[in-house]
Amino acid sequence: MSAAARSSRGSSALRFGRFAAMGTVAALILIAGVWASWGTAQHVMLTKGRERGTVEVARCGEGICTGPYTPVSGGSQPRAEVRLEDSVAVEKGRTYAVVLKPGGGEAVRSGPAGVLYAWVPLGGALLLASVVVAGGLLRTRWAWVMASLGAVLLTAAFLAV
């Protein structure tokens, strides 16, 4: 066997190894983004049978805002206080449409703003994975598509919230 044939076979194995490793890293980043988003998104997107209503934010502190809950959906009961994650988009004195998580003490924003905000971790994962796809897999078109989707998702969430 000639040295050129061995070298060609060796470089093919290295290319395949790089492709497999970087593909795995990119897939894990995207899976982590979906996993992080789904924890909130499932409550916002799959609202059938869930309690929906509004929360008027009365107090905020230590990452949590609280306020009275007024039901909108049938079968939901008013509550003196529910918790809503304190983020840049939550202000004291404002009223927000929410969906209660099972158990009834914690609420997540609903509507288009809530859906977009829930998928923000996926937007970040798309941006991060696009770097891996471009640099590790040498797939620049796919990387640009992923980066563009991530940027659009993050921008839409920022504007909606």
Side-chain angles (χ1 to χ4, degrees):
M1 182 180 300
S2 71
R6 273 182 281 174
S7 174
S8 173
R9 197 176 310 149
S11 65
S12 294
L14 285 176
R15 268 196 308 268
F16 177 75
R18 185 190 72 212
F19 185 82
M22 291 297 108
T24 301
V25 169
L28 287 174
I29 291 170
L30 292 174
I31 290 168
V34 170
W35 185 272
S37 296
W38 188 246
T40 301
Q42 66 178 323
H43 303 292
V44 179
M45 296 175 68
L46 306 174
T47 60
K48 186 176 182 179
R50 299 197 192 270
E51 296 183 73
R52 291 172 303 192
T54 59
V55 172
E56 183 178 347
V57 177
R59 290 179 299 289
C60 288
E62 298 181 23
I64 300 290
C65 290
T66 59
Y69 169 77
T70 306
V72 173
S73 63
S76 183
Q77 300 296 319
R79 290 177 173 77
E81 185 175 278
V82 295
R83 296 177 308 278
L84 184 63
E85 179 184 333
D86 182 14
S87 67
V88 178
V90 177
E91 296 176 16
K92 184 178 173 183
R94 292 195 55 196
T95 301
Y96 299 97
V98 296
V99 174
L100 295 182
K101 288 185 176 181
E106 192 172 340
V108 291
R109 295 217 20 208
S110 63
V115 171
L116 289 169
Y117 184 69
W119 288 104
V120 163
L122 177 61
L126 283 165
L127 287 175
L128 182 58
S130 71
V131 175
V132 174
V133 168
L137 297 177
L138 304 176
R139 302 290 190 254
T140 54
R141 286 185 188 152
W142 280 104
W144 277 110
V145 168
M146 291 170 67
S148 298
L149 289 172
V152 166
L153 177 57
L154 293 174
T155 302
F158 176 77
L159 294 175
V161 174

